[in-house]
Amino acid sequence: MRKIVFLWLMVLFFVSSCMLLQNNYQKEPSNVLSSRFFHPRGDQDLQSTVEAIKKLNPKRIDWTYCDDVEILKIYKKYNLPYSLAINPQYPDSLGYTTKKSRILDYNGNLYVAPWMKSWKINNPYWGCVNNPIFNGVFLKQGLKLASLGAYAIFVDDAVFNYRLVMDNKMGCFCNYCLDKFENKKKELNRKQNLKSTLISSVTQQSNKGKEVNKLVKEYEDFQKKSVINFLENWKFEIRKIYHEMVFLTNNYNGNWNEIYQVFDGGIAELKQQYINSNDLDSLYGLADKLGKTQLFTIAIEDKDIHYRLLKYNIKNKKESIYPWDVFISGKSQRYYMNIDTIAFKEKEYTKALKKNNKK
């Protein structure tokens, strides 16, 4: 009996020692490649996604626009899980966004995001979450991406109609939105023209500096709830078939508003001012508290800032996006950091951290 007890204690001691060793030494960081599109995209493109995969050996690839089976076979060849992206401009007709399924502002204009106005693309217009046509095409594409083996679907610009609220434009004024809101406003005099009343309300006040009147605030809240309901229903329909599907979005600066909280994780562009231990501790801590995953990227050409974030993530066992494919706001080209330099810096920081942990 004593022999059995002794052997059991030895087993417990061995397991405890292994756990202690595991905690004392830094795990290899789980880093992610983010590439909006597969490269090269043409004869003039000098970048190579395959070269980046080979040299950086990422654990997965996130936020990539692709439904090409041949390209996805390459990711599978390298055992790379991938999240496939979709956005509010997803087309409803032969690669184009037509007026019948899109957001209309209070002047009746199709909505284009401020940063997209200079882009020469076929599909600049955002779909309306209350429009059944857009609901149908968005769900169809979501199911298609899931069927292509994605571990996650990434919704780019997931605020949809609420983006107009953020732009001080109150929301979408298509007939579907107006009818749905009017049905919720039973106390509103049906003889009034709801659209005229809303437009009058928003145009009589300054976009900034004045309190939003009650009707405008109610319409803005209606737009936000419409987006949340749209996303929740969309997720539900996809998970009926693909039960383990993960849903991601870009939550700028690590923001977790009510819309973003619909998602399982965020990939956020982070302002340079937040690349310090205190702010990063706080931002990652918020995501942890909510049970969300969080990745950060920086849209800047200053290599040292990228390295500072990489170093922090390695030290704190956080995932990093390799700073390779970065879109710089206001520029027509993406910024590509040298792959060999990234790999060298990662090894340098990891080695230094392990050395410090042994002391």
Side-chain angles (χ1 to χ4, degrees):
M1 182 69 182
R2 288 181 180 178
K3 188 175 181 180
I4 293 173
V5 171
F6 176 76
L7 289 172
W8 178 242
L9 289 172
M10 288 296 291
V11 169
L12 287 176
F13 175 76
F14 176 75
V15 171
S16 299
S17 299
C18 290
M19 291 176 66
L20 184 61
L21 284 170
Q22 188 177 32
N23 290 331
N24 284 339
Y25 290 95
Q26 176 73 20
K27 294 180 180 178
E28 290 297 322
S30 176
N31 289 339
V32 178
L33 187 67
S34 181
S35 183
R36 301 297 186 273
F37 304 99
F38 185 85
H39 297 278
R41 298 187 72 188
D43 295 338
Q44 304 302 313
D45 188 354
L46 301 179
Q47 306 302 325
S48 169
T49 301
V50 169
E51 181 184 359
I53 292 170
K54 287 179 177 178
K55 290 190 175 182
L56 297 174
N57 191 30
K59 298 298 186 295
R60 66 179 186 276
I61 183 164
D62 275 326
W63 196 344
T64 185
Y65 285 94
C66 182
D67 56 10
D68 186 321
V69 174
E70 295 306 312
I71 290 175
L72 297 179
K73 282 181 181 178
I74 295 173
Y75 297 151
K76 291 175 182 177
K77 172 186 173 183
Y78 289 99
N79 296 315
L80 270 183
Y82 44 84
S83 63
L84 300 179
I86 187 172
N87 59 40
Q89 306 104 261
Y90 187 74
D92 54 275
S93 178
L94 299 175
Y96 290 85
T97 49
T98 62
K99 189 173 183 177
K100 63 184 179 182
S101 68
R102 304 289 137 177
I103 289 172
L104 299 177
D105 68 17
Y106 57 77
N107 290 318
N109 299 318
L110 289 160
Y111 179 74
V112 180
W115 61 91
M116 295 181 184
K117 288 182 177 179
S118 63
W119 295 7
K120 296 178 180 179
I121 54 177
N122 293 334
N123 54 341
Y125 306 117
W126 285 33
C128 172
V129 298
N130 287 316
N131 188 305
I133 300 173
F134 182 71
N135 271 250
V137 297
F138 203 79
L139 176 59
K140 183 178 179 180
Q141 179 65 2
L143 289 168
K144 179 180 179 180
L145 296 180
S147 74
L148 292 173
Y151 88 90
I153 300 176
F154 181 93
V155 182
D156 197 350
D157 297 322
V159 289
F160 290 90
N161 294 39
Y162 195 69
R163 179 71 222 183
L164 280 81
V165 178
M166 297 164 69
D167 289 349
N168 298 309
K169 292 184 176 180
M170 201 180 349
C172 175
F173 279 78
C174 75
N175 289 333
Y176 294 104
C177 282
L178 292 170
D179 288 347
K180 186 176 280 191
F181 181 70
E182 188 169 23
N183 288 336
K184 292 177 180 295
K185 291 289 295 175
K186 301 296 184 184
E187 72 276 16
L188 189 69
N189 186 341
R190 291 305 181 99
K191 293 181 180 179
Q192 284 184 298
N193 184 306
L194 175 62
K195 184 174 180 180
S196 297
T197 305
L198 284 166
I199 292 173
S200 176
S201 297
V202 77
T203 54
Q204 285 175 10
Q205 61 186 344
S206 169
N207 284 337
K208 295 182 180 179
K210 290 187 178 180
E211 183 179 352
V212 176
N213 70 37
K214 184 183 177 188
L215 186 61
V216 172
K217 182 64 169 64
E218 287 179 351
Y219 199 71
E220 290 177 344
D221 288 343
F222 159 72
Q223 292 285 303
K224 178 168 66 175
K225 289 174 183 176
S226 294
V227 175
I228 293 171
N229 290 336
F230 164 79
L231 289 169
E232 290 284 13
N233 292 334
W234 179 73
K235 279 175 47 185
F236 177 77
E237 292 299 324
I238 292 173
R239 279 189 173 152
K240 280 201 303 189
I241 304 172
Y242 304 95
H243 310 300
E244 304 300 321
M245 184 58 60
V246 174
F247 295 91
L248 307 171
T249 191
N250 52 334
N251 58 329
Y252 187 67
N253 277 329
N255 184 312
W256 284 105
N257 63 35
E258 291 179 71
I259 294 172
Y260 294 147
Q261 287 186 41
V262 173
F263 295 88
D264 304 303
I267 301 178
E269 180 184 315
L270 196 59
K271 288 185 177 180
Q272 177 180 344
Q273 66 197 65
Y274 298 120
I275 310 300
N276 62 77
S277 294
N278 289 337
D279 284 329
L280 288 170
D281 287 348
S282 178
L283 290 168
Y284 279 121
L286 175 60
D288 292 341
K289 183 178 179 181
L290 293 170
K292 310 293 185 182
T293 62
Q294 182 69 73
L295 282 164
F296 288 120
T297 184
I298 321 163
I300 191 171
E301 293 183 72
D302 188 334
K303 296 181 178 65
D304 290 334
I305 302 297
H306 288 281
Y307 297 149
R308 193 188 304 170
L309 178 59
L310 180 63
K311 190 173 185 179
Y312 172 94
N313 286 341
I314 290 173
K315 180 180 179 181
N316 292 279
K317 301 181 182 180
K318 300 294 185 183
E319 290 187 332
S320 289
I321 295 179
Y322 286 117
W324 173 61
D325 181 355
V326 181
F327 178 73
I328 306 298
S329 181
K331 295 189 176 182
S332 60
Q333 298 181 23
R334 301 192 80 90
Y335 166 61
Y336 297 90
M337 189 180 290
N338 182 274
I339 298 172
D340 293 321
T341 306
I342 305 169
F344 173 79
K345 285 291 183 181
E346 182 184 21
K347 290 177 183 177
E348 177 188 346
Y349 296 148
T350 304
K351 183 178 179 181
L353 188 60
K354 285 183 177 180
K355 185 176 180 180
N356 288 335
N357 286 336
K358 288 181 181 179
K359 292 180 180 179

mmCIF file of all heavy atoms in Angstrom, residues 65 87-90 111-126 156-158 163 250 327 329-330:
data_model
loop_
_atom_site.group_PDB
_atom_site.id
_atom_site.type_symbol
_atom_site.label_atom_id
_atom_site.label_comp_id
_atom_site.label_asym_id
_atom_site.label_seq_id
_atom_site.Cartn_x
_atom_site.Cartn_y
_atom_site.Cartn_z
ATOM 1 N N TYR A 65 -10.141 38.220 -48.593
ATOM 2 C CA TYR A 65 -11.261 38.149 -49.533
ATOM 3 C C TYR A 65 -10.951 37.087 -50.581
ATOM 4 O O TYR A 65 -10.071 37.281 -51.417
ATOM 5 C CB TYR A 65 -11.478 39.497 -50.214
ATOM 6 C CG TYR A 65 -12.139 40.525 -49.337
ATOM 7 C CD1 TYR A 65 -11.376 41.433 -48.594
ATOM 8 C CD2 TYR A 65 -13.525 40.596 -49.238
ATOM 9 C CE1 TYR A 65 -11.986 42.382 -47.783
ATOM 10 C CE2 TYR A 65 -14.140 41.539 -48.427
ATOM 11 C CZ TYR A 65 -13.373 42.426 -47.710
ATOM 12 O OH TYR A 65 -13.974 43.366 -46.897
ATOM 13 N N ASN A 87 -18.341 42.095 -46.854
ATOM 14 C CA ASN A 87 -18.568 43.464 -46.381
ATOM 15 C C ASN A 87 -19.930 43.991 -46.846
ATOM 16 O O ASN A 87 -20.624 43.330 -47.620
ATOM 17 C CB ASN A 87 -17.437 44.387 -46.848
ATOM 18 C CG ASN A 87 -17.294 44.438 -48.346
ATOM 19 O OD1 ASN A 87 -18.270 44.462 -49.082
ATOM 20 N ND2 ASN A 87 -16.061 44.452 -48.828
ATOM 21 N N PRO A 88 -20.349 45.193 -46.375
ATOM 22 C CA PRO A 88 -21.672 45.732 -46.740
ATOM 23 C C PRO A 88 -21.843 46.035 -48.216
ATOM 24 O O PRO A 88 -22.963 46.259 -48.669
ATOM 25 C CB PRO A 88 -21.751 47.030 -45.927
ATOM 26 C CG PRO A 88 -20.803 46.851 -44.800
ATOM 27 C CD PRO A 88 -19.686 46.034 -45.349
ATOM 28 N N GLN A 89 -20.726 46.059 -48.983
ATOM 29 C CA GLN A 89 -20.844 46.329 -50.412
ATOM 30 C C GLN A 89 -21.026 45.061 -51.237
ATOM 31 O O GLN A 89 -20.920 45.111 -52.464
ATOM 32 C CB GLN A 89 -19.603 47.050 -50.950
ATOM 33 C CG GLN A 89 -19.237 48.315 -50.209
ATOM 34 C CD GLN A 89 -18.047 48.068 -49.320
ATOM 35 O OE1 GLN A 89 -18.186 47.862 -48.128
ATOM 36 N NE2 GLN A 89 -16.862 48.086 -49.887
ATOM 37 N N TYR A 90 -21.259 43.929 -50.576
ATOM 38 C CA TYR A 90 -21.383 42.697 -51.355
ATOM 39 C C TYR A 90 -22.446 42.887 -52.438
ATOM 40 O O TYR A 90 -23.567 43.297 -52.153
ATOM 41 C CB TYR A 90 -21.728 41.503 -50.463
ATOM 42 C CG TYR A 90 -21.681 40.223 -51.264
ATOM 43 C CD1 TYR A 90 -20.460 39.674 -51.644
ATOM 44 C CD2 TYR A 90 -22.858 39.628 -51.713
ATOM 45 C CE1 TYR A 90 -20.412 38.540 -52.445
ATOM 46 C CE2 TYR A 90 -22.815 38.499 -52.512
ATOM 47 C CZ TYR A 90 -21.588 37.968 -52.873
ATOM 48 O OH TYR A 90 -21.537 36.856 -53.679
ATOM 49 N N TYR A 111 -25.566 55.405 -50.298
ATOM 50 C CA TYR A 111 -24.522 55.694 -49.310
ATOM 51 C C TYR A 111 -23.190 55.064 -49.714
ATOM 52 O O TYR A 111 -23.119 53.872 -50.023
ATOM 53 C CB TYR A 111 -24.916 55.176 -47.933
ATOM 54 C CG TYR A 111 -23.844 55.428 -46.902
ATOM 55 C CD1 TYR A 111 -23.620 56.710 -46.395
ATOM 56 C CD2 TYR A 111 -23.016 54.394 -46.452
ATOM 57 C CE1 TYR A 111 -22.621 56.964 -45.478
ATOM 58 C CE2 TYR A 111 -22.020 54.638 -45.529
ATOM 59 C CZ TYR A 111 -21.826 55.923 -45.041
ATOM 60 O OH TYR A 111 -20.837 56.163 -44.141
ATOM 61 N N VAL A 112 -22.140 55.894 -49.689
ATOM 62 C CA VAL A 112 -20.758 55.445 -49.873
ATOM 63 C C VAL A 112 -19.974 55.906 -48.658
ATOM 64 O O VAL A 112 -20.051 57.078 -48.273
ATOM 65 C CB VAL A 112 -20.134 56.042 -51.160
ATOM 66 C CG1 VAL A 112 -18.699 55.546 -51.328
ATOM 67 C CG2 VAL A 112 -20.963 55.671 -52.386
ATOM 68 N N ALA A 113 -19.223 55.012 -48.039
ATOM 69 C CA ALA A 113 -18.424 55.375 -46.865
ATOM 70 C C ALA A 113 -17.430 56.476 -47.228
ATOM 71 O O ALA A 113 -16.903 56.485 -48.342
ATOM 72 C CB ALA A 113 -17.689 54.152 -46.343
ATOM 73 N N PRO A 114 -17.170 57.409 -46.310
ATOM 74 C CA PRO A 114 -16.285 58.545 -46.608
ATOM 75 C C PRO A 114 -14.931 58.141 -47.181
ATOM 76 O O PRO A 114 -14.426 58.779 -48.109
ATOM 77 C CB PRO A 114 -16.130 59.232 -45.240
ATOM 78 C CG PRO A 114 -17.367 58.863 -44.495
ATOM 79 C CD PRO A 114 -17.714 57.474 -44.941
ATOM 80 N N TRP A 115 -14.335 57.075 -46.630
ATOM 81 C CA TRP A 115 -13.002 56.664 -47.092
ATOM 82 C C TRP A 115 -13.038 55.927 -48.429
ATOM 83 O O TRP A 115 -11.994 55.647 -49.019
ATOM 84 C CB TRP A 115 -12.325 55.786 -46.036
ATOM 85 C CG TRP A 115 -13.055 54.514 -45.736
ATOM 86 C CD1 TRP A 115 -12.881 53.305 -46.353
ATOM 87 C CD2 TRP A 115 -14.070 54.322 -44.751
ATOM 88 N NE1 TRP A 115 -13.739 52.368 -45.822
ATOM 89 C CE2 TRP A 115 -14.479 52.972 -44.836
ATOM 90 C CE3 TRP A 115 -14.688 55.156 -43.810
ATOM 91 C CZ2 TRP A 115 -15.470 52.444 -44.005
ATOM 92 C CZ3 TRP A 115 -15.660 54.610 -42.995
ATOM 93 C CH2 TRP A 115 -16.046 53.289 -43.085
ATOM 94 N N MET A 116 -14.234 55.606 -48.932
ATOM 95 C CA MET A 116 -14.351 54.867 -50.183
ATOM 96 C C MET A 116 -14.701 55.762 -51.380
ATOM 97 O O MET A 116 -14.755 55.282 -52.505
ATOM 98 C CB MET A 116 -15.420 53.777 -50.062
ATOM 99 C CG MET A 116 -15.096 52.687 -49.080
ATOM 100 S SD MET A 116 -16.399 51.427 -49.033
ATOM 101 C CE MET A 116 -15.797 50.372 -47.722
ATOM 102 N N LYS A 117 -14.948 57.030 -51.134
ATOM 103 C CA LYS A 117 -15.443 57.896 -52.199
ATOM 104 C C LYS A 117 -14.462 58.063 -53.354
ATOM 105 O O LYS A 117 -14.870 58.323 -54.485
ATOM 106 C CB LYS A 117 -15.831 59.253 -51.610
ATOM 107 C CG LYS A 117 -17.097 59.164 -50.773
ATOM 108 C CD LYS A 117 -17.529 60.510 -50.221
ATOM 109 C CE LYS A 117 -18.838 60.371 -49.446
ATOM 110 N NZ LYS A 117 -19.291 61.655 -48.857
ATOM 111 N N SER A 118 -13.191 57.905 -53.081
ATOM 112 C CA SER A 118 -12.193 58.044 -54.145
ATOM 113 C C SER A 118 -11.825 56.703 -54.782
ATOM 114 O O SER A 118 -11.037 56.653 -55.717
ATOM 115 C CB SER A 118 -10.928 58.710 -53.592
ATOM 116 O OG SER A 118 -10.340 57.892 -52.600
ATOM 117 N N TRP A 119 -12.408 55.621 -54.270
ATOM 118 C CA TRP A 119 -12.064 54.293 -54.785
ATOM 119 C C TRP A 119 -12.812 54.037 -56.092
ATOM 120 O O TRP A 119 -14.010 54.279 -56.206
ATOM 121 C CB TRP A 119 -12.433 53.214 -53.777
ATOM 122 C CG TRP A 119 -11.661 53.282 -52.497
ATOM 123 C CD1 TRP A 119 -10.790 54.249 -52.098
ATOM 124 C CD2 TRP A 119 -11.717 52.330 -51.423
ATOM 125 N NE1 TRP A 119 -10.291 53.969 -50.861
ATOM 126 C CE2 TRP A 119 -10.832 52.799 -50.417
ATOM 127 C CE3 TRP A 119 -12.400 51.142 -51.207
ATOM 128 C CZ2 TRP A 119 -10.630 52.112 -49.221
ATOM 129 C CZ3 TRP A 119 -12.207 50.457 -50.021
ATOM 130 C CH2 TRP A 119 -11.328 50.942 -49.049
ATOM 131 N N LYS A 120 -12.115 53.510 -57.061
ATOM 132 C CA LYS A 120 -12.721 53.187 -58.353
ATOM 133 C C LYS A 120 -13.111 51.710 -58.355
ATOM 134 O O LYS A 120 -12.368 50.842 -58.802
ATOM 135 C CB LYS A 120 -11.751 53.503 -59.488
ATOM 136 C CG LYS A 120 -11.427 54.995 -59.596
ATOM 137 C CD LYS A 120 -10.428 55.277 -60.710
ATOM 138 C CE LYS A 120 -10.123 56.761 -60.790
ATOM 139 N NZ LYS A 120 -9.126 57.074 -61.849
ATOM 140 N N ILE A 121 -14.285 51.433 -57.810
ATOM 141 C CA ILE A 121 -14.764 50.055 -57.704
ATOM 142 C C ILE A 121 -16.193 49.961 -58.225
ATOM 143 O O ILE A 121 -16.926 50.943 -58.276
ATOM 144 C CB ILE A 121 -14.701 49.545 -56.243
ATOM 145 C CG1 ILE A 121 -15.455 50.506 -55.298
ATOM 146 C CG2 ILE A 121 -13.261 49.373 -55.786
ATOM 147 C CD1 ILE A 121 -15.500 50.047 -53.851
ATOM 148 N N ASN A 122 -16.589 48.743 -58.600
ATOM 149 C CA ASN A 122 -17.926 48.516 -59.139
ATOM 150 C C ASN A 122 -19.005 48.522 -58.056
ATOM 151 O O ASN A 122 -20.177 48.728 -58.349
ATOM 152 C CB ASN A 122 -17.989 47.173 -59.876
ATOM 153 C CG ASN A 122 -17.137 47.166 -61.120
ATOM 154 O OD1 ASN A 122 -16.886 48.214 -61.718
ATOM 155 N ND2 ASN A 122 -16.671 45.995 -61.521
ATOM 156 N N ASN A 123 -18.595 48.251 -56.827
ATOM 157 C CA ASN A 123 -19.596 48.037 -55.771
ATOM 158 C C ASN A 123 -19.339 48.905 -54.543
ATOM 159 O O ASN A 123 -19.015 48.399 -53.473
ATOM 160 C CB ASN A 123 -19.613 46.559 -55.358
ATOM 161 C CG ASN A 123 -18.230 46.068 -54.959
ATOM 162 O OD1 ASN A 123 -17.228 46.674 -55.296
ATOM 163 N ND2 ASN A 123 -18.175 44.971 -54.222
ATOM 164 N N PRO A 124 -19.508 50.225 -54.659
ATOM 165 C CA PRO A 124 -19.210 51.098 -53.527
ATOM 166 C C PRO A 124 -20.356 51.254 -52.530
ATOM 167 O O PRO A 124 -20.142 51.746 -51.420
ATOM 168 C CB PRO A 124 -18.930 52.446 -54.208
ATOM 169 C CG PRO A 124 -19.820 52.427 -55.404
ATOM 170 C CD PRO A 124 -19.861 50.999 -55.863
ATOM 171 N N TYR A 125 -21.573 50.836 -52.901
ATOM 172 C CA TYR A 125 -22.742 51.189 -52.102
ATOM 173 C C TYR A 125 -23.047 50.136 -51.031
ATOM 174 O O TYR A 125 -23.021 48.935 -51.293
ATOM 175 C CB TYR A 125 -23.959 51.385 -53.008
ATOM 176 C CG TYR A 125 -23.708 52.376 -54.118
ATOM 177 C CD1 TYR A 125 -23.753 51.988 -55.462
ATOM 178 C CD2 TYR A 125 -23.380 53.700 -53.824
ATOM 179 C CE1 TYR A 125 -23.500 52.896 -56.474
ATOM 180 C CE2 TYR A 125 -23.128 54.619 -54.834
ATOM 181 C CZ TYR A 125 -23.184 54.211 -56.154
ATOM 182 O OH TYR A 125 -22.906 55.116 -57.153
ATOM 183 N N TRP A 126 -23.373 50.615 -49.842
ATOM 184 C CA TRP A 126 -23.618 49.731 -48.702
ATOM 185 C C TRP A 126 -25.048 49.201 -48.714
ATOM 186 O O TRP A 126 -26.002 49.940 -48.961
ATOM 187 C CB TRP A 126 -23.366 50.485 -47.403
ATOM 188 C CG TRP A 126 -21.921 50.684 -47.088
ATOM 189 C CD1 TRP A 126 -20.905 50.859 -47.981
ATOM 190 C CD2 TRP A 126 -21.321 50.728 -45.789
ATOM 191 N NE1 TRP A 126 -19.709 51.014 -47.332
ATOM 192 C CE2 TRP A 126 -19.935 50.943 -45.970
ATOM 193 C CE3 TRP A 126 -21.813 50.630 -44.497
ATOM 194 C CZ2 TRP A 126 -19.041 51.037 -44.915
ATOM 195 C CZ3 TRP A 126 -20.926 50.730 -43.435
ATOM 196 C CH2 TRP A 126 -19.558 50.921 -43.643
ATOM 197 N N ASP A 156 -16.344 42.757 -42.587
ATOM 198 C CA ASP A 156 -15.613 44.023 -42.689
ATOM 199 C C ASP A 156 -16.630 45.174 -42.647
ATOM 200 O O ASP A 156 -17.602 45.163 -43.398
ATOM 201 C CB ASP A 156 -14.854 44.021 -44.023
ATOM 202 C CG ASP A 156 -13.761 45.065 -44.086
ATOM 203 O OD1 ASP A 156 -13.698 45.923 -43.200
ATOM 204 O OD2 ASP A 156 -12.963 45.020 -45.038
ATOM 205 N N ASP A 157 -16.415 46.145 -41.766
ATOM 206 C CA ASP A 157 -17.336 47.287 -41.612
ATOM 207 C C ASP A 157 -18.726 46.823 -41.182
ATOM 208 O O ASP A 157 -19.739 47.083 -41.844
ATOM 209 C CB ASP A 157 -17.443 48.098 -42.903
ATOM 210 C CG ASP A 157 -16.117 48.731 -43.287
ATOM 211 O OD1 ASP A 157 -15.393 49.184 -42.379
ATOM 212 O OD2 ASP A 157 -15.802 48.784 -44.488
ATOM 213 N N ALA A 158 -18.782 46.167 -40.036
ATOM 214 C CA ALA A 158 -20.014 45.503 -39.602
ATOM 215 C C ALA A 158 -21.078 46.429 -39.024
ATOM 216 O O ALA A 158 -22.140 45.959 -38.618
ATOM 217 C CB ALA A 158 -19.681 44.428 -38.559
ATOM 218 N N ARG A 163 -23.528 53.157 -39.507
ATOM 219 C CA ARG A 163 -22.441 54.028 -39.957
ATOM 220 C C ARG A 163 -22.968 55.434 -40.274
ATOM 221 O O ARG A 163 -22.271 56.424 -40.050
ATOM 222 C CB ARG A 163 -21.791 53.420 -41.203
ATOM 223 C CG ARG A 163 -20.648 54.242 -41.781
ATOM 224 C CD ARG A 163 -19.427 54.211 -40.899
ATOM 225 N NE ARG A 163 -18.834 55.530 -40.801
ATOM 226 C CZ ARG A 163 -17.718 55.802 -40.142
ATOM 227 N NH1 ARG A 163 -17.073 54.847 -39.515
ATOM 228 N NH2 ARG A 163 -17.252 57.019 -40.086
ATOM 229 N N ASN A 250 -13.879 43.882 -37.750
ATOM 230 C CA ASN A 250 -12.853 44.881 -37.451
ATOM 231 C C ASN A 250 -13.440 45.915 -36.491
ATOM 232 O O ASN A 250 -14.295 46.705 -36.863
ATOM 233 C CB ASN A 250 -12.321 45.550 -38.728
ATOM 234 C CG ASN A 250 -13.411 46.094 -39.625
ATOM 235 O OD1 ASN A 250 -14.535 45.611 -39.608
ATOM 236 N ND2 ASN A 250 -13.095 47.104 -40.408
ATOM 237 N N PHE A 327 -2.677 48.484 -45.063
ATOM 238 C CA PHE A 327 -3.225 49.581 -45.857
ATOM 239 C C PHE A 327 -3.014 50.893 -45.123
ATOM 240 O O PHE A 327 -3.418 51.048 -43.975
ATOM 241 C CB PHE A 327 -4.714 49.378 -46.110
ATOM 242 C CG PHE A 327 -5.344 50.502 -46.888
ATOM 243 C CD1 PHE A 327 -5.089 50.641 -48.246
ATOM 244 C CD2 PHE A 327 -6.162 51.425 -46.269
ATOM 245 C CE1 PHE A 327 -5.661 51.680 -48.969
ATOM 246 C CE2 PHE A 327 -6.738 52.464 -46.980
ATOM 247 C CZ PHE A 327 -6.481 52.591 -48.337
ATOM 248 N N SER A 329 -3.988 54.650 -44.755
ATOM 249 C CA SER A 329 -5.114 55.521 -45.084
ATOM 250 C C SER A 329 -4.674 56.698 -45.948
ATOM 251 O O SER A 329 -3.674 57.347 -45.663
ATOM 252 C CB SER A 329 -5.757 56.042 -43.801
ATOM 253 O OG SER A 329 -6.846 56.868 -44.095
ATOM 254 N N GLY A 330 -5.437 56.940 -47.002
ATOM 255 C CA GLY A 330 -5.141 58.071 -47.872
ATOM 256 C C GLY A 330 -4.150 57.773 -48.973
ATOM 257 O O GLY A 330 -3.867 58.619 -49.807
#
